[in-house]
Amino acid sequence: MARRLFLLSAFIGLLFVLSGCGLFGPKDAPSNGEIDPPRLHSQPAAGSEKADAPSSVPDKKANKSVSKHKVYVLDADGMIVPWEMELPESKGTAKQVLSYMVQGGEGEKLLPSGFRAILPKGTKVLGMTIKDGVAAVDFSPEFKKYKAEDEQKILEAVTWALTEFEAVKEVNIWINGHPQEVMPVKGTPVSHLNRERGINVEISDKVKPGQAMAVTLYFQNQVSDKLTYFVPVTRYLPKADNKGLAVVQELIQGPKTGSPLFSALLPSVNVKSVKQQKDIMVVNFDNKILSYSQGEASPEALDAVILSLTENSDAKKVQIMVEGKNVVKAGNIDYTKPVTRSMITNSGAY
C-alpha cells in the first residue's frame, strides 16, 4: 500500500511538473484582512452558472442573515466531500469557509455523524489576498500539525473550497507569513494549486505519463437509508478525442474495485453520443436509461451526469436525450429542457 501511495504521489507530481506550473508563491504576503474582490460569492461549482450574489435567508432566531456555501470535509470512508452549510453573513466569506473546515471548530459540529473537518485543530487564517484569480492564504503554525496521510487531502480540500468562488482560479499556501513551495510533512508542491490537479484522485494502471487525461466523476456514497450524497473523484484515463463521452462512459463503468462508492447509472445503460453545442452539453442515451421506475429515469443518475459533464467542460447546461428525443422524466426537475448545475438539490453536497 505504501509503495502504491508513493507511486501515486510521484505520478501526480510528474503530471504537475509537465504542466509547466511554477513552484513559487506571490511576491506580496497576504494581508491580515481578506481582500474580497467586488461581488466575491459562492458559486455552485466549476462549470455552473454564476450567481449575482450569495443566496441568503433570514435567521429569525438570531435575527441575522445566513448564506449557503460549500465546505470540504472528510466522510467516514476518508473521501473529500463538498458539504453545503448555512453560514452567518460575513465580509470575509472565503476565510470564513476555511474556518468551518477546522477540526474541533464550529463547522465540525454541523456535520453528520461519521464526518469530520480536515484542517488541523487550532488552525487560523491569518490573512488572505485574492488578485488576478490567485488566492494567497496565510495559515497559522498549527496548520503544520497533521498526519502525513492527510497532506494531499488537505490540499484538495483547501483548493476546491476556495475555487468555489468565481474570483479564485488558483491557490498559494503561506504559513505564518512565509510562502511555501512544498508542504511541511511530505513535501508536496503547493504553488499554483487548482482543480486540474483533481480530488480523491485515482489512476488507472493502463495510464502512461504524458498520455493521460483527467476527468472528475460524481459517484455516490451512503451512510444511512436517509443520507446519500455525491463524492467527486478524479480519474486519470488514456487521452480520448471526445472527453464528454469518456466522462459518461466512466460513470457507467462505476467506481474502482473495492471502493465504498457506487454509481447512480446502471451498467446496462448505453450512451449513444455526447456533443457540446455552444454552452449546452447534449447527451443521448438509449431507452435503458428509462428503466428506473415506470418509464422514468433515476434523478440521481441524471444529476450525476450533469455534475460530471459541467465539471469537465465550460458548458453551463446539460440536455438529456433518449434516442434523440427530449422526453426524460425524473423527480421534480424538468429534464426535457437543458438543466443547470445549480438546479440540482440533492442532499449533502448539492
Side-chain angles (χ1 to χ4, degrees), residues 94-297:
K95 287 174 60 177
Q96 181 190 36
V97 166
L98 292 180
S99 73
Y100 271 69
M101 292 164 53
V102 176
Q103 296 173 9
E106 289 298 315
E108 197 163 53
K109 299 176 184 177
L110 303 176
L111 295 175
S113 177
F115 286 59
R116 67 181 178 89
I118 183 62
L119 299 183
K121 187 175 182 179
T123 298
K124 296 179 178 61
V125 180
L126 302 180
M128 183 185 297
T129 59
I130 302 173
K131 184 178 180 181
D132 298 330
V134 180
V137 54
D138 188 13
F139 291 105
S140 64
E142 290 84 357
F143 181 72
K144 299 179 180 181
K145 301 176 181 179
Y146 59 86
K147 296 179 180 179
E149 58 265 30
D150 285 340
E151 183 166 283
Q152 185 61 38
K153 295 177 181 180
I154 288 172
L155 290 178
E156 292 172 3
V158 170
T159 300
W160 283 64
L162 290 180
T163 52
E164 289 287 349
F165 296 89
E166 69 174 61
V168 179
K169 305 302 179 186
E170 293 184 356
V171 178
N172 287 327
I173 303 293
W174 293 57
I175 300 178
N176 202 31
H178 299 283
Q180 305 296 301
E181 296 181 13
V182 297
M183 286 289 276
V185 178
K186 293 182 65 177
T188 304
V190 294
S191 185
H192 299 287
L193 298 169
N194 56 51
R195 289 199 173 203
E196 292 180 5
R197 296 180 63 161
I199 186 169
N200 297 314
V201 177
E202 63 178 54
I203 299 175
S204 169
D205 295 334
K206 299 179 181 179
V207 174
K208 298 180 181 180
Q211 301 177 13
M213 174 182 71
V215 296
T216 297
L217 312 168
Y218 281 79
F219 295 123
Q220 289 186 288
N221 205 350
Q222 187 172 10
V223 294
S224 69
D225 293 339
K226 298 181 180 179
L227 182 56
T228 302
Y229 54 94
F230 284 106
V231 179
V233 173
T234 299
R235 178 176 290 173
Y236 280 87
L237 312 169
K239 288 183 179 180
D241 293 333
N242 188 332
K243 188 174 184 179
L245 180 61
V247 165
V248 181
Q249 289 173 337
E250 291 297 317
L251 281 176
I252 295 172
Q253 178 178 314
K256 66 180 181 181
T257 303
S259 171
L261 307 180
F262 59 93
S263 178
L265 280 167
L266 297 175
S268 59
V269 172
N270 295 307
V271 55
K272 305 187 76 172
S273 65
V274 179
K275 299 178 181 179
Q276 184 167 351
Q277 299 176 357
K278 296 183 179 180
D279 67 340
I280 300 176
M281 194 70 77
V282 181
V283 53
N284 186 27
F285 291 101
D286 67 0
N287 283 316
K288 292 180 182 178
I289 193 72
L290 302 177
S291 60
Y292 173 70
S293 175
Q294 298 181 345
E296 292 192 3

Side-chain angles (χ1 to χ4, degrees), residues 57-69:
V57 294
D59 184 347
K60 295 181 179 180
K61 293 182 179 180
N63 196 28
K64 294 181 179 179
S65 294
V66 297
S67 57
K68 293 182 179 180
H69 298 281

Side-chain angles (χ1 to χ4, degrees), residues 294-320:
Q294 298 181 345
E296 292 192 3
S298 162
E300 290 79 11
L302 302 184
D303 292 347
V305 171
I306 293 164
L307 290 171
S308 300
L309 285 177
T310 52
E311 186 71 67
N312 292 281
S313 70
D314 58 358
K316 296 181 178 181
K317 301 177 183 178
V318 176
Q319 174 69 68
I320 305 292

